[in-house]
Amino acid sequence: MKGFAMLGLNKVGWIEKDKPVAGPLDAIVRPLAVSPCTSDVHTVYEGALGDIHDMILGHEAVGEVVEVGSLVKDFKPGDKVIVPAITPDHMDVFSQMGYHQHAEGMLGGWKFSASKDGVFGEYFHVNQADGNLALLPPEISIEDGTMLSDMVPTGFHGVDNAEVQFGETVAVIGIGPVGLMAVAGSNLRGAGRIFAVGSRQLCCDVAKSYGATDIINYKHGDISQQILEATKGKGVDKVIIAGGTVDTFGEALSIIRPAGIISNINYLGSGDYIKISREGWGLGMGHIKIVGGLMPGGRKNMEYLSNVLKYGKLDVSPLLTHKFNGFDHIEEALLLMKDKTADLIKPVVII
Ligand code: NDP
Ligand code: ZN
């Protein structure tokens, strides 16, 4: 079969591989719609996971089951499924600790396009199908469904980890598709004032439509100064970081209130250290929590999040600014994600 792969650092292309084989608990799926992710860009062009060779990319897909192992109970060939980016081993002890993302080691639940071939192949392998797949409700289109693989769960995970409460003031730094879902999630959780930090006009407009009350352009000066001015020096209850660099934590610390939470969902593809300022962190005694999280995958999470779309609480279609038809357009879509043109939020490729 053919697949679109990372050939080495800064190198992508089509390769031939053997069709994957399903173990007794697994499924083989063919993609119906896929979307490239900024994480693919960090992996290929920043070498964030090392110099990987000949690994098929992609971890956001809706697909059709073509084959299941002998022990799979709830899925059969022909089923349309949401494929989460994170597909952990649910038998691992870490899964029982509540962090299946780290089953089999740090970030071990992230398999597609990290430790095994991803979803940009004619077929791909899903481990523990009953635990990792979810049926796509017929009310959700295949292209909207791809946003359930990663963008919705990641943005909402940022909100979960920030423990957003009714009426709170939240700053979402970075409003690409991930940050936009953090804005929408904060809004659903009842935040009062929501600062959205970005620069591209389209992302700012969509952020407003998802509930942002204030737009901050990080290119117009220091984020912290702008937010402190707007809040008369009070700062914010919560910060969700969905863009920027290792230095963004410094900005977040300057605006967070005592005992606030900084919730990072950004994939830090480069830079060696994150600097936490002694003063900003309350001389070490400010009760400020800094938490970073990989999105939760798993069937239950996909089923619950698909309800948010199915019952009209969230419309992900404004994210899908570029639609392609045909497998061969995957490269074009990935390059768009790398170059981030002004009119882009997220591309989707319908196979
Ligand atoms: P985008 O590149 O589309 O968005 C990044 C956002 O950050 C844009 O709004 C951009 O502004 C803004 N930004 C860039 N530089 C700065 C800066 N210096 N200060 C403040 N804001 C800045 O990325 P995505 O939304 O696709 O993804 C966001 C991150 O989430 C990525 O690192 C991705 O790899 C990661 N990710 C993490 C997952 C997880 O499980 N934790 C899962 C999926 C993705 P503008 O472009 O308008 O100038
Ligand atoms: Zn992703």
Side-chain angles (χ1 to χ4, degrees):
M1 64 164 206
K2 75 175 185 170
F4 187 73
M6 173 170 178
L7 305 178
L9 272 186
N10 289 309
K11 264 191 257 153
V12 291
W14 293 95
I15 56 171
E16 281 291 325
K17 283 218 169 173
D18 290 338
K19 187 180 165 191
V21 177
L25 294 168
D26 310 336
I28 303 301
V29 176
R30 78 175 177 91
L32 297 174
V34 298
S35 183
C37 178
T38 305
S39 302
D40 293 309
V41 174
H42 292 303
T43 302
V44 175
Y45 300 101
E46 290 179 49
L49 302 178
D51 187 7
I52 297 174
H53 288 257
D54 299 340
M55 175 185 69
I56 296 178
L57 290 165
H59 50 258
E60 301 180 15
V62 160
E64 182 187 89
V65 175
V66 293
E67 192 185 321
V68 293
S70 57
L71 298 177
V72 173
K73 295 186 295 242
D74 298 333
F75 296 91
K76 58 181 189 320
D79 284 344
K80 268 189 199 162
V81 288
I82 305 162
V83 183
I86 304 305
T87 51
D89 174 357
H90 293 279
M91 314 268 262
D92 187 271
V93 172
F94 241 83
S95 293
Q96 297 174 22
M97 291 182 189
Y99 292 98
H100 64 239
Q101 294 95 321
H102 309 294
E104 300 174 273
M106 180 78 87
L107 309 180
W110 178 20
K111 296 179 188 300
F112 291 130
S113 69
S115 63
K116 78 173 191 185
D117 283 328
V119 302
F120 295 169
E122 286 179 279
Y123 301 95
F124 56 87
H125 169 270
V126 180
N127 56 299
Q128 297 181 359
D130 284 322
N132 282 321
L133 292 175
L135 289 174
L136 179 74
E139 295 84 354
I140 302 176
S141 68
I142 55 170
E143 55 264 47
D144 283 2
T146 58
M147 296 299 97
L148 286 164
S149 290
D150 195 0
M151 298 298 96
V152 179
T154 302
F156 280 28
H157 189 51
V159 177
D160 267 339
N161 285 344
E163 301 171 28
V164 173
Q165 310 289 326
F166 292 127
E168 282 188 336
T169 298
V170 180
V172 178
I173 302 183
I175 46 169
V178 169
L180 287 169
M181 289 300 93
V183 170
S186 298
N187 196 46
L188 281 168
R189 278 282 167 82
R193 193 171 189 185
I194 303 176
F195 287 93
V197 182
S199 82
R200 284 174 291 155
Q201 191 56 47
L202 175 66
C203 296
C204 297
D205 293 343
V206 174
K208 277 192 197 153
S209 76
Y210 281 136
T213 53
D214 300 71
I215 302 294
I216 300 289
N217 189 327
Y218 68 94
K219 291 185 178 166
H220 291 172
D222 204 55
I223 298 168
S224 46
Q225 257 175 19
Q226 295 185 65
I227 292 185
L228 286 173
E229 207 175 292
T231 56
K232 300 192 170 61
K234 282 173 72 176
V236 302
D237 298 295
K238 306 288 165 65
V239 179
I240 301 172
I241 302 178
T245 66
V246 286
D247 295 327
T248 307
F249 288 81
E251 302 253 38
L253 272 176
S254 321
I255 54 171
I256 196 81
R257 65 154 160 86
I261 301 177
I262 297 172
S263 162
N264 180 73
I265 38 177
N266 199 19
Y267 172 177
L268 296 168
S270 52
D272 290 329
Y273 295 99
I274 295 161
K275 281 194 208 139
I276 309 284
S277 90
R278 184 178 59 88
E279 241 179 82
W281 208 36
L283 315 182
M285 299 177 285
H287 292 105
I288 293 164
K289 250 199 250 175
I290 302 175
V291 53
L294 178 65
M295 64 151 261
R299 175 174 170 181
K300 176 242 152 199
N301 201 41
M302 292 301 115
E303 288 180 351
Y304 274 62
L305 290 179
S306 65
N307 282 338
V308 184
L309 268 63
K310 179 175 162 182
Y311 294 104
K313 303 286 163 64
L314 173 67
D315 177 9
V316 293
S317 63
L319 300 181
L320 300 171
T321 50
H322 291 66
K323 292 188 190 179
F324 296 93
N325 281 294
F327 205 45
D328 294 341
H329 290 283
I330 286 177
E331 179 164 15
E332 215 176 316
L334 176 72
L335 290 178
L336 263 178
M337 213 51 194
K338 174 171 173 268
D339 297 338
K340 302 277 155 73
T341 49
D343 59 346
L344 176 93
I345 298 181
K346 189 84 174 164
V348 64
V349 182
I350 298 156
I351 309 294

